[in-house]
Amino acid sequence: MSAAPADALVFFGATGDLAHKKIFPALQSMVRRGVLDVPVIGVAKQGWKLPDLQARAKDSVEKFGGGVDKDAFPKLLKLLRYVDGDYSDAATFESLRKELGNAKLPVHYMAIPQGLFGLVGQQLAKAGCAKGSRLVVEKPFGSDLATARELNQTLHQVFPEECIFRIDHYLGKGTVQNLVVFRFANTFLEPIWNSNYVRSVQITMAESFGVQGRGNFYDRAGTIRDVVQNHLLQVLSNVAMEPPPRSHDVETIRAEKVKVLKGVPAIEPKDILRGQFRGYRQEPGVAPNSTVETFVALRLHVNTWRWQGVPFFIRAGKCLPVTRTEVVARLRTPPPIVEGINLPPNYLRFRISPDFVIALGAAIKAPGERLMVEPVELDLLHSLAGDLEPYEELLGDAMRGDAFRFAREDYVEEAWRIVDPAIKANTPIFEYESGTWGPKEAEGMVPGGWFVSKS
C-alpha cells in the first residue's frame, strides 16, 4: 500500500548554504512539474521575515537553478512561509504549529548540523508537530558507529524507523540508479557478473578541487567520513547486490543492499593507505599539524557466494587530475590463442559522473600482416537530459513516502562498522602533489595498477 502524500514541507536551516545552492532550485523544479503544491515552511534563526526568505529563494534559483521560471517561481513564493527562532526555544515550534495549520502529514527536513537532530525532534514532539509526520535528515549520520547508534536511538524516541528518511544525494543520481538497472535489465551481463569471470572491481571518486573554503568541516571529517562511508559504499552495494525477490515492497531491495554490507569485513589497517595534498594544512580552518586524509585507497572483500575471493578497491581524493566517479570491473584474462601473444584483460567501465558512460574493454587484431592483438574500448555515452536533480527527486520521494532511495538504520550502522577501523587506525599519512593521482605509495595496491580512463 502506498503512503499518503505529505500536506506540508518544513525545512530547518532555510537560510543556510545547502538550501541556497540545492533546495530552492529543487523546490522550483518540483512546482514546475506539478508535484509540489503544499505549504513550504522555512525555519531558521536569522532575524529574517518572509520577504527576506523570498529574496533568498530568488537569488538561489538565479544562481543555481537555471533562472527564475516565470510560471513556477511565483507559485513557489505563494507556498513559502517562514518561522524565525532558536531551535532550543519552545516558542519557535509553537509558531511552526500555527503555520502548519490543518496539516496532519508534514515532512520535516533537517538541513542542519546533526548535533541538532535530537533537539529539534524533541521540540517537534512537544509542540505536537511530530505525530503523523516524516523526518528527513542530512548526512553525515553520526561520525562513527557509536554516534550513529546513539543518534538512531535519539530519533526513535520520537519517530519510528519507517518515518525516518536518511538522505544521501548520491542515491538520487540517475546515473547511480542506472547502474542497478543496467545490471538487472540485461541478460548478457548476469552470467559473467561473479567471481568466475571478474578478477577485481575498482571504484574511484576523484575530485580535481580542494576543500573550497570548507577546511573547518573537512578537518573534522576527512575523505573516509565524507564520501567513503556513504557515497562509495552505496555504489559498492549497487554493484555487488543480489537480484531482489519480485515484489512491490521496496524493503526487499533495501534488504539486499544491507546483505552486501553484512558480507564485508571491517577494514584492516594493512588495507588502508591515506594521503594529504601538499598545502592542505595552510587551508583556513585546518589545523597546522593535521593528519586528516584528503585521499584514501582501500582494499576490501565482499564475502558472499558471488564475490568470494574478488578484491574490491576504493580510491577517493581531492586535488586529483580530474573530477570523475567510475566503477571498473576487470575480467579474468582468457588463455592466449597464439603462443607468445599476451591478451589484454577485458573490463566493464561505468562512469557515474560527471556524465554517464558504459564501456567495454576488448581486444581485436592489430593492423598489419602479423597476428598481433591490440586493446580497444567500445563505449556508449548516455545523455542525462531529462534526469531530475538529486534533491528534486529525493524530496519528491519523501513527500510521497517512498523510502527506496534512502538509507535504512541497519544499512547506516553496517557502513560505519566497515569503516570505523579505517578511521581509528591512525595509519601513516603520505603527502602528494595536487594534480597527481595521490601518493605514489598507493600505486602498487592494485595488481595491474589502478585503471585510468583516457576519455
Side-chain angles (χ1 to χ4, degrees):
M1 180 182 294
S2 60
D7 51 12
L9 172 62
V10 181
F11 70 108
F12 296 88
T15 62
D17 193 55
L18 178 61
H20 189 225
K21 291 181 178 178
K22 299 293 185 181
I23 306 308
F24 286 118
L27 296 176
Q28 177 178 259
S29 295
M30 292 169 70
V31 173
R32 181 190 299 125
R33 292 191 298 113
V35 299
L36 180 65
D37 59 357
V38 300
V40 178
I41 307 167
V43 186
K45 185 184 180 183
Q46 196 72 24
W48 284 11
K49 296 187 181 301
L50 179 58
D52 298 305
L53 186 69
Q54 292 173 329
R56 179 75 162 175
K58 184 173 184 291
D59 183 69
S60 169
V61 299
E62 286 176 341
K63 291 180 178 176
F64 304 107
V68 171
D69 185 296
K70 65 181 180 62
D71 296 318
F73 188 73
K75 294 178 183 178
L76 175 60
L77 289 184
K78 291 180 181 179
L79 297 176
L80 283 180
R81 314 283 189 271
Y82 182 66
V83 173
D84 193 86
D86 194 290
Y87 299 145
S88 62
D89 187 353
T92 302
F93 294 84
E94 292 170 5
S95 298
L96 173 60
R97 179 65 267 174
K98 292 177 183 177
E99 288 290 352
L100 283 169
N102 295 324
K104 302 296 184 184
L105 301 170
V107 166
H108 299 292
Y109 171 39
M110 296 193 192
I112 55 178
Q114 61 174 300
L116 296 173
F117 290 173
L119 170 64
V120 172
Q122 294 293 336
Q123 292 281 38
L124 287 170
K126 290 177 183 178
C129 300
K131 185 178 180 181
S133 67
R134 302 176 193 127
L135 181 69
V136 180
V137 292
E138 272 289 340
K139 80 168 190 72
F141 193 88
S143 56
D144 55 19
L145 178 57
T147 56
R149 284 175 171 166
E150 182 180 357
L151 187 53
N152 277 324
Q153 293 170 0
T154 298
L155 294 181
H156 287 158
Q157 293 174 12
V158 179
F159 298 92
E161 174 61 24
E162 61 267 22
C163 293
I164 300 175
F165 292 66
R166 298 168 188 83
I167 202 166
D168 181 345
H169 73 270
Y170 232 64
L171 288 182
K173 285 181 175 288
T175 52
V176 176
Q177 298 167 44
N178 217 330
L179 180 60
V180 179
V181 172
F182 186 81
R183 273 201 58 197
F184 295 128
N186 295 290
T187 307
F188 62 80
L189 185 59
E190 177 60 24
I192 66 168
W193 205 245
N194 54 61
S195 60
N196 291 328
Y197 292 91
V198 178
R199 187 177 71 177
S200 67
V201 178
Q202 297 180 28
I203 304 172
T204 294
M205 183 176 182
E207 295 174 323
S208 61
F209 49 86
V211 295
Q212 296 183 316
R214 299 165 66 234
N216 186 54
F217 160 78
Y218 206 86
D219 213 41
R220 289 181 282 110
T223 304
I224 299 173
R225 285 190 175 101
D226 190 38
V227 298
V228 174
Q229 183 272 339
N230 38 70
H231 300 336
L232 298 185
L233 287 184
Q234 291 281 9
V235 172
L236 181 144
S237 66
N238 286 346
V239 169
M241 68 184 284
E242 296 297 320
R246 186 174 178 180
S247 171
H248 293 295
D249 183 8
V250 300
E251 293 304 321
T252 61
I253 301 179
R254 297 173 90 195
E256 291 300 333
K257 294 184 179 184
V258 174
K259 288 180 184 178
V260 172
L261 296 195
K262 285 183 178 295
V264 178
I267 299 168
E268 298 182 19
K270 65 181 178 63
D271 293 325
I272 309 162
L273 194 141
R274 300 187 308 132
Q276 187 183 92
F277 67 80
R278 188 185 300 276
Y280 170 72
R281 295 176 183 177
Q282 284 71 56
E283 293 278 349
V286 173
N289 59 347
S290 174
T291 58
V292 169
E293 77 282 349
T294 63
F295 172 95
V296 68
L298 302 169
R299 180 192 299 107
L300 46 80
H301 292 83
V302 180
N303 289 335
T304 62
W305 180 91
R306 180 185 295 267
W307 297 111
Q308 192 69 40
V310 177
F312 283 70
F313 301 96
I314 291 178
R315 172 176 60 167
K318 291 189 174 292
C319 292
L320 302 185
V322 296
T323 297
R324 184 181 297 163
T325 302
E326 286 190 337
V327 178
V328 176
R330 275 183 166 153
L331 305 183
R332 299 191 184 279
T333 305
I337 53 177
V338 175
E339 195 67 35
I341 296 180
N342 294 322
L343 299 177
N346 299 142
Y347 60 83
L348 281 165
R349 176 168 67 89
F350 303 89
R351 180 178 298 167
I352 295 171
S353 68
D355 48 8
F356 184 67
V357 175
I358 301 171
L360 170 65
I364 63 171
K365 178 185 177 299
E369 183 177 343
R370 296 180 60 193
L371 180 59
M372 301 293 290
V373 171
E374 67 177 9
V376 295
E377 187 176 81
L378 313 173
D379 63 31
L380 166 68
L381 175 62
H382 176 67
S383 171
L384 301 182
D387 273 358
L388 302 183
E389 288 297 314
Y391 275 97
E392 180 183 351
E393 183 152 15
L394 292 171
L395 288 176
D397 285 351
M399 296 291 286
R400 292 188 299 274
D402 183 353
F404 172 61
R405 295 181 185 88
F406 295 84
R408 211 166 65 179
E409 173 187 13
D410 50 355
Y411 183 96
V412 170
E413 293 187 3
E414 286 295 328
W416 279 121
R417 175 192 61 77
I418 293 167
V419 303
D420 258 8
I423 294 170
K424 297 172 181 175
N426 196 29
T427 54
I429 191 153
F430 299 94
E431 194 173 57
Y432 64 95
E433 296 292 341
S434 295
T436 68
W437 281 103
K440 63 181 185 303
E441 289 82 1
E443 294 173 3
M445 177 176 278
V446 180
W450 292 94
F451 184 94
V452 178
S453 57
K454 298 177 181 178
S455 60

PDB file of all heavy atoms in Angstrom, residues 38 69 88 97 114 157 164 183 223 226 301 356 369 387 392 400 404 418:
ATOM      1  N   VAL A  38       1.903  22.261  -1.725  1.00  0.00           N
ATOM      2  CA  VAL A  38       1.561  22.373  -0.308  1.00  0.00           C
ATOM      3  C   VAL A  38       2.448  23.439   0.336  1.00  0.00           C
ATOM      4  O   VAL A  38       3.476  23.828  -0.241  1.00  0.00           O
ATOM      5  CB  VAL A  38       1.754  21.018   0.408  1.00  0.00           C
ATOM      6  CG1 VAL A  38       0.857  19.945  -0.212  1.00  0.00           C
ATOM      7  CG2 VAL A  38       3.214  20.573   0.363  1.00  0.00           C
ATOM      8  N   ASP A  69      11.822  30.806 -13.110  1.00  0.00           N
ATOM      9  CA  ASP A  69      10.785  30.302 -14.002  1.00  0.00           C
ATOM     10  C   ASP A  69       9.566  31.208 -13.857  1.00  0.00           C
ATOM     11  O   ASP A  69       9.013  31.347 -12.761  1.00  0.00           O
ATOM     12  CB  ASP A  69      10.438  28.865 -13.623  1.00  0.00           C
ATOM     13  CG  ASP A  69       9.458  28.223 -14.591  1.00  0.00           C
ATOM     14  OD1 ASP A  69       8.315  28.710 -14.680  1.00  0.00           O
ATOM     15  OD2 ASP A  69       9.838  27.235 -15.240  1.00  0.00           O
ATOM     16  N   SER A  88      16.168  25.830  20.360  1.00  0.00           N
ATOM     17  CA  SER A  88      16.018  25.461  21.766  1.00  0.00           C
ATOM     18  C   SER A  88      14.839  26.167  22.430  1.00  0.00           C
ATOM     19  O   SER A  88      14.526  25.900  23.590  1.00  0.00           O
ATOM     20  CB  SER A  88      17.301  25.783  22.548  1.00  0.00           C
ATOM     21  OG  SER A  88      17.575  27.184  22.509  1.00  0.00           O
ATOM     22  N   ARG A  97       3.789  25.314  14.644  1.00  0.00           N
ATOM     23  CA  ARG A  97       2.499  24.630  14.718  1.00  0.00           C
ATOM     24  C   ARG A  97       1.390  25.489  14.119  1.00  0.00           C
ATOM     25  O   ARG A  97       0.509  24.994  13.408  1.00  0.00           O
ATOM     26  CB  ARG A  97       2.205  24.299  16.186  1.00  0.00           C
ATOM     27  CG  ARG A  97       0.893  23.606  16.489  1.00  0.00           C
ATOM     28  CD  ARG A  97       0.802  22.229  15.885  1.00  0.00           C
ATOM     29  NE  ARG A  97       0.155  22.242  14.568  1.00  0.00           N
ATOM     30  CZ  ARG A  97       0.055  21.202  13.779  1.00  0.00           C
ATOM     31  NH1 ARG A  97       0.573  20.052  14.128  1.00  0.00           N
ATOM     32  NH2 ARG A  97      -0.545  21.288  12.620  1.00  0.00           N
ATOM     33  N   GLN A 114      24.086  17.683  12.546  1.00  0.00           N
ATOM     34  CA  GLN A 114      23.490  16.508  13.169  1.00  0.00           C
ATOM     35  C   GLN A 114      23.372  16.645  14.678  1.00  0.00           C
ATOM     36  O   GLN A 114      22.507  16.001  15.296  1.00  0.00           O
ATOM     37  CB  GLN A 114      24.295  15.259  12.817  1.00  0.00           C
ATOM     38  CG  GLN A 114      25.736  15.279  13.290  1.00  0.00           C
ATOM     39  CD  GLN A 114      26.429  13.956  13.049  1.00  0.00           C
ATOM     40  OE1 GLN A 114      26.020  12.925  13.562  1.00  0.00           O
ATOM     41  NE2 GLN A 114      27.477  13.971  12.251  1.00  0.00           N
ATOM     42  N   GLN A 157      13.036   7.857  19.657  1.00  0.00           N
ATOM     43  CA  GLN A 157      12.189   8.269  20.775  1.00  0.00           C
ATOM     44  C   GLN A 157      10.980   9.061  20.287  1.00  0.00           C
ATOM     45  O   GLN A 157       9.963   9.137  20.980  1.00  0.00           O
ATOM     46  CB  GLN A 157      12.997   9.111  21.762  1.00  0.00           C
ATOM     47  CG  GLN A 157      14.094   8.347  22.477  1.00  0.00           C
ATOM     48  CD  GLN A 157      14.956   9.250  23.338  1.00  0.00           C
ATOM     49  OE1 GLN A 157      14.617  10.407  23.592  1.00  0.00           O
ATOM     50  NE2 GLN A 157      16.082   8.736  23.804  1.00  0.00           N
ATOM     51  N   ILE A 164      11.646   7.705   9.193  1.00  0.00           N
ATOM     52  CA  ILE A 164      12.930   8.405   9.124  1.00  0.00           C
ATOM     53  C   ILE A 164      13.563   8.159   7.758  1.00  0.00           C
ATOM     54  O   ILE A 164      13.774   7.006   7.358  1.00  0.00           O
ATOM     55  CB  ILE A 164      13.884   7.949  10.241  1.00  0.00           C
ATOM     56  CG1 ILE A 164      13.265   8.237  11.624  1.00  0.00           C
ATOM     57  CG2 ILE A 164      15.231   8.656  10.116  1.00  0.00           C
ATOM     58  CD1 ILE A 164      14.095   7.718  12.781  1.00  0.00           C
ATOM     59  N   ARG A 183      22.550  -3.576 -14.648  1.00  0.00           N
ATOM     60  CA  ARG A 183      22.895  -4.906 -14.132  1.00  0.00           C
ATOM     61  C   ARG A 183      21.769  -5.894 -14.324  1.00  0.00           C
ATOM     62  O   ARG A 183      21.975  -7.021 -14.779  1.00  0.00           O
ATOM     63  CB  ARG A 183      23.217  -4.809 -12.640  1.00  0.00           C
ATOM     64  CG  ARG A 183      24.664  -4.468 -12.325  1.00  0.00           C
ATOM     65  CD  ARG A 183      24.960  -4.915 -10.917  1.00  0.00           C
ATOM     66  NE  ARG A 183      24.706  -6.357 -10.766  1.00  0.00           N
ATOM     67  CZ  ARG A 183      24.566  -6.958  -9.589  1.00  0.00           C
ATOM     68  NH1 ARG A 183      24.643  -6.272  -8.478  1.00  0.00           N
ATOM     69  NH2 ARG A 183      24.356  -8.257  -9.538  1.00  0.00           N
ATOM     70  N   THR A 223      38.288  12.194   4.182  1.00  0.00           N
ATOM     71  CA  THR A 223      37.722  11.547   2.999  1.00  0.00           C
ATOM     72  C   THR A 223      36.867  10.328   3.338  1.00  0.00           C
ATOM     73  O   THR A 223      35.826  10.095   2.715  1.00  0.00           O
ATOM     74  CB  THR A 223      38.861  11.139   2.045  1.00  0.00           C
ATOM     75  OG1 THR A 223      39.643  12.292   1.727  1.00  0.00           O
ATOM     76  CG2 THR A 223      38.320  10.546   0.756  1.00  0.00           C
ATOM     77  N   ASP A 226      33.623  11.575   4.682  1.00  0.00           N
ATOM     78  CA  ASP A 226      32.932  12.473   3.763  1.00  0.00           C
ATOM     79  C   ASP A 226      32.305  11.738   2.589  1.00  0.00           C
ATOM     80  O   ASP A 226      31.173  12.032   2.201  1.00  0.00           O
ATOM     81  CB  ASP A 226      33.908  13.547   3.247  1.00  0.00           C
ATOM     82  CG  ASP A 226      33.206  14.650   2.479  1.00  0.00           C
ATOM     83  OD1 ASP A 226      32.094  15.045   2.885  1.00  0.00           O
ATOM     84  OD2 ASP A 226      33.771  15.128   1.478  1.00  0.00           O
ATOM     85  N   HIS A 301      36.726  -6.825   0.821  1.00  0.00           N
ATOM     86  CA  HIS A 301      36.158  -8.015   0.186  1.00  0.00           C
ATOM     87  C   HIS A 301      34.678  -8.126   0.528  1.00  0.00           C
ATOM     88  O   HIS A 301      34.240  -7.678   1.595  1.00  0.00           O
ATOM     89  CB  HIS A 301      36.890  -9.284   0.632  1.00  0.00           C
ATOM     90  CG  HIS A 301      38.290  -9.373   0.140  1.00  0.00           C
ATOM     91  ND1 HIS A 301      39.348  -8.741   0.774  1.00  0.00           N
ATOM     92  CD2 HIS A 301      38.830 -10.003  -0.947  1.00  0.00           C
ATOM     93  CE1 HIS A 301      40.468  -8.979   0.104  1.00  0.00           C
ATOM     94  NE2 HIS A 301      40.181  -9.744  -0.931  1.00  0.00           N
ATOM     95  N   PHE A 356      27.395   9.955 -17.841  1.00  0.00           N
ATOM     96  CA  PHE A 356      27.195   8.523 -17.681  1.00  0.00           C
ATOM     97  C   PHE A 356      27.721   7.798 -18.902  1.00  0.00           C
ATOM     98  O   PHE A 356      27.292   8.070 -20.032  1.00  0.00           O
ATOM     99  CB  PHE A 356      25.710   8.197 -17.475  1.00  0.00           C
ATOM    100  CG  PHE A 356      25.458   6.739 -17.200  1.00  0.00           C
ATOM    101  CD1 PHE A 356      25.906   6.165 -16.028  1.00  0.00           C
ATOM    102  CD2 PHE A 356      24.776   5.944 -18.104  1.00  0.00           C
ATOM    103  CE1 PHE A 356      25.685   4.815 -15.750  1.00  0.00           C
ATOM    104  CE2 PHE A 356      24.543   4.590 -17.847  1.00  0.00           C
ATOM    105  CZ  PHE A 356      25.005   4.037 -16.658  1.00  0.00           C
ATOM    106  N   GLU A 369      50.326  -7.444 -41.175  1.00  0.00           N
ATOM    107  CA  GLU A 369      50.358  -8.823 -41.655  1.00  0.00           C
ATOM    108  C   GLU A 369      50.456  -9.830 -40.526  1.00  0.00           C
ATOM    109  O   GLU A 369      49.844 -10.892 -40.555  1.00  0.00           O
ATOM    110  CB  GLU A 369      51.561  -8.989 -42.599  1.00  0.00           C
ATOM    111  CG  GLU A 369      51.657 -10.371 -43.224  1.00  0.00           C
ATOM    112  CD  GLU A 369      52.819 -10.449 -44.200  1.00  0.00           C
ATOM    113  OE1 GLU A 369      53.316  -9.393 -44.620  1.00  0.00           O
ATOM    114  OE2 GLU A 369      53.223 -11.580 -44.527  1.00  0.00           O
ATOM    115  N   ASP A 387      16.951  13.803 -16.788  1.00  0.00           N
ATOM    116  CA  ASP A 387      17.116  13.293 -15.427  1.00  0.00           C
ATOM    117  C   ASP A 387      16.817  14.403 -14.425  1.00  0.00           C
ATOM    118  O   ASP A 387      17.185  15.571 -14.629  1.00  0.00           O
ATOM    119  CB  ASP A 387      18.554  12.806 -15.208  1.00  0.00           C
ATOM    120  CG  ASP A 387      18.736  11.360 -15.642  1.00  0.00           C
ATOM    121  OD1 ASP A 387      17.747  10.748 -16.068  1.00  0.00           O
ATOM    122  OD2 ASP A 387      19.870  10.860 -15.540  1.00  0.00           O
ATOM    123  N   GLU A 392      15.748  17.198  -6.025  1.00  0.00           N
ATOM    124  CA  GLU A 392      14.387  17.253  -6.539  1.00  0.00           C
ATOM    125  C   GLU A 392      13.738  15.875  -6.437  1.00  0.00           C
ATOM    126  O   GLU A 392      12.582  15.731  -6.005  1.00  0.00           O
ATOM    127  CB  GLU A 392      14.406  17.734  -7.984  1.00  0.00           C
ATOM    128  CG  GLU A 392      13.042  17.835  -8.628  1.00  0.00           C
ATOM    129  CD  GLU A 392      13.116  18.241 -10.094  1.00  0.00           C
ATOM    130  OE1 GLU A 392      14.208  18.617 -10.567  1.00  0.00           O
ATOM    131  OE2 GLU A 392      12.067  18.179 -10.755  1.00  0.00           O
ATOM    132  N   ARG A 400       6.142  11.737  -0.983  1.00  0.00           N
ATOM    133  CA  ARG A 400       5.250  10.618  -1.298  1.00  0.00           C
ATOM    134  C   ARG A 400       5.368   9.470  -0.308  1.00  0.00           C
ATOM    135  O   ARG A 400       4.597   8.522  -0.349  1.00  0.00           O
ATOM    136  CB  ARG A 400       5.551  10.077  -2.710  1.00  0.00           C
ATOM    137  CG  ARG A 400       5.204  11.018  -3.839  1.00  0.00           C
ATOM    138  CD  ARG A 400       5.344  10.311  -5.183  1.00  0.00           C
ATOM    139  NE  ARG A 400       6.710   9.859  -5.415  1.00  0.00           N
ATOM    140  CZ  ARG A 400       7.669  10.606  -5.948  1.00  0.00           C
ATOM    141  NH1 ARG A 400       7.418  11.862  -6.303  1.00  0.00           N
ATOM    142  NH2 ARG A 400       8.886  10.112  -6.139  1.00  0.00           N
ATOM    143  N   PHE A 404      12.636   4.110  -0.922  1.00  0.00           N
ATOM    144  CA  PHE A 404      13.556   3.288  -1.698  1.00  0.00           C
ATOM    145  C   PHE A 404      14.960   3.882  -1.779  1.00  0.00           C
ATOM    146  O   PHE A 404      15.957   3.174  -1.630  1.00  0.00           O
ATOM    147  CB  PHE A 404      12.977   3.084  -3.101  1.00  0.00           C
ATOM    148  CG  PHE A 404      13.927   2.416  -4.058  1.00  0.00           C
ATOM    149  CD1 PHE A 404      14.402   1.144  -3.803  1.00  0.00           C
ATOM    150  CD2 PHE A 404      14.346   3.063  -5.214  1.00  0.00           C
ATOM    151  CE1 PHE A 404      15.277   0.526  -4.689  1.00  0.00           C
ATOM    152  CE2 PHE A 404      15.224   2.455  -6.093  1.00  0.00           C
ATOM    153  CZ  PHE A 404      15.683   1.188  -5.833  1.00  0.00           C
ATOM    154  N   ILE A 418      32.064  -1.061   8.956  1.00  0.00           N
ATOM    155  CA  ILE A 418      33.112  -1.372   7.989  1.00  0.00           C
ATOM    156  C   ILE A 418      34.253  -0.364   8.050  1.00  0.00           C
ATOM    157  O   ILE A 418      35.431  -0.732   8.042  1.00  0.00           O
ATOM    158  CB  ILE A 418      32.518  -1.424   6.567  1.00  0.00           C
ATOM    159  CG1 ILE A 418      31.568  -2.618   6.436  1.00  0.00           C
ATOM    160  CG2 ILE A 418      33.620  -1.511   5.507  1.00  0.00           C
ATOM    161  CD1 ILE A 418      30.694  -2.570   5.189  1.00  0.00           C
TER     162      ILE A 418
END
